[in-house]
Amino acid sequence: MVAVAGRVVVVTGGRRGLGAALVDEVLARGARKVYSTARSAYIDDRPEVVTAELEVRSEASVAALAKVAADVEIVFNNAGILLPAPLLTGDFERATVTFDVNVFGPLRMARAFAPILAANGGGALVNMHSVLSWLAGAGAYGASKAAAWSITNSLRLELARQNTQVVGVHAGFIDTEMVSAMDLPKATPAEVAARIVDGLEAQATEVLADDVTIATKAALSGPVERLAFSVAG
């Protein structure tokens, strides 16, 4: 079991939204130190929090963080991006950026921090996905989260040999700036963060953070035509 108390943690995208809630949650459960990253420098006055600049699209930036955070035992890959656009007619560069952040960003982090986790006893890698990993209609964002889910499942097998717990997190809509324009029921970041850490500490391999995600996962064996996202629906 990977308990948070006394551990050293990194949370990417920890400045706001779910990332900030994860920082709060692990601190409340006794984390010894938390590296909280953002794309630009910021200040957190809590003595247990070390803020750091990180651009997950840059291998050099990820490597620099790994060099500083060599004591990390738990990695939360939370940083992500949502650039809504149709796949056929949307700007292709936006789709490329979406995949670079949401898919290759967590993979860069996993490759950089796997040796660190191994050296520190195994620890855990927690990757944020989405209910949209399984639903058509969310453009490059949904496609990127589906790819991230697949990567997480393969990383789980590759990292088992070093005793690293790999957790994939799926959630519906969370009340953050990313989806503020969508008029849909949303969970609070604090609620989702608590469920994520509950799952981590319970040795879960996958966390389904809300009812809509549980129902969607259960529908995967049904007709693919029913696996579609609609704001009106």
Side-chain angles (χ1 to χ4, degrees):
M1 183 181 75
V2 180
V4 168
R7 300 279 188 163
V8 180
V9 178
V10 63
V11 179
T12 66
R15 185 175 190 172
R16 59 187 179 181
L18 179 60
L22 283 167
V23 172
D24 292 344
E25 185 65 28
V26 297
L27 287 175
R29 300 200 192 199
R32 178 163 57 89
K33 183 195 298 185
V34 182
Y35 295 94
S36 178
T37 81
R39 294 182 67 189
S40 58
Y42 75 104
I43 296 172
D44 189 311
D45 293 329
R46 291 172 290 187
E48 303 91 349
V49 178
V50 178
T51 62
E53 291 186 61
L54 175 67
E55 172 53 75
V56 296
R57 297 180 66 192
S58 165
E59 187 172 346
S61 181
V62 171
L65 176 65
K67 185 175 181 179
V68 170
D71 53 348
V72 161
E73 299 162 283
I74 302 172
V75 174
F76 288 90
N77 271 324
N78 167 73
I81 194 169
L82 172 62
L83 301 173
L87 287 174
L88 289 177
T89 58
D91 182 79
F92 197 83
E93 178 62 23
R94 288 164 68 91
T96 301
V97 170
T98 297
F99 269 76
D100 205 9
V101 173
N102 293 348
V103 182
F104 299 119
L107 182 56
R108 291 185 187 100
M109 285 288 295
R111 289 166 65 98
F113 277 89
I116 294 171
L117 294 176
N120 294 332
L125 175 70
V126 184
N127 286 345
M128 282 301 304
H129 307 146
S130 170
V131 68
L132 297 176
S133 303
W134 304 317
L135 296 175
Y141 179 81
S144 72
K145 289 299 185 177
W149 177 45
S150 180
I151 284 176
T152 296
N153 291 337
S154 291
L155 286 174
R156 185 176 297 115
L157 299 180
E158 293 188 25
L159 291 173
R161 69 193 69 174
Q162 67 175 51
N163 198 35
T164 297
Q165 179 183 349
V166 177
V167 184
V169 178
H170 294 268
F173 292 95
I174 306 170
D175 192 10
T176 65
E177 183 179 333
M178 181 181 284
V179 294
S180 60
M182 294 185 179
D183 186 17
L184 294 164
K186 299 167 188 172
T188 68
E191 290 170 339
V192 175
R195 290 168 189 162
I196 292 169
V197 182
D198 282 345
L200 169 67
E201 296 193 323
Q203 293 184 291
T205 55
E206 197 163 64
V207 173
L208 308 182
D210 47 45
D211 290 343
V212 67
T213 304
I214 292 169
T216 301
K217 179 72 183 292
L220 289 179
S221 61
V224 69
E225 293 85 356
R226 296 180 184 175
L227 296 171
F229 164 69
S230 170
V231 174

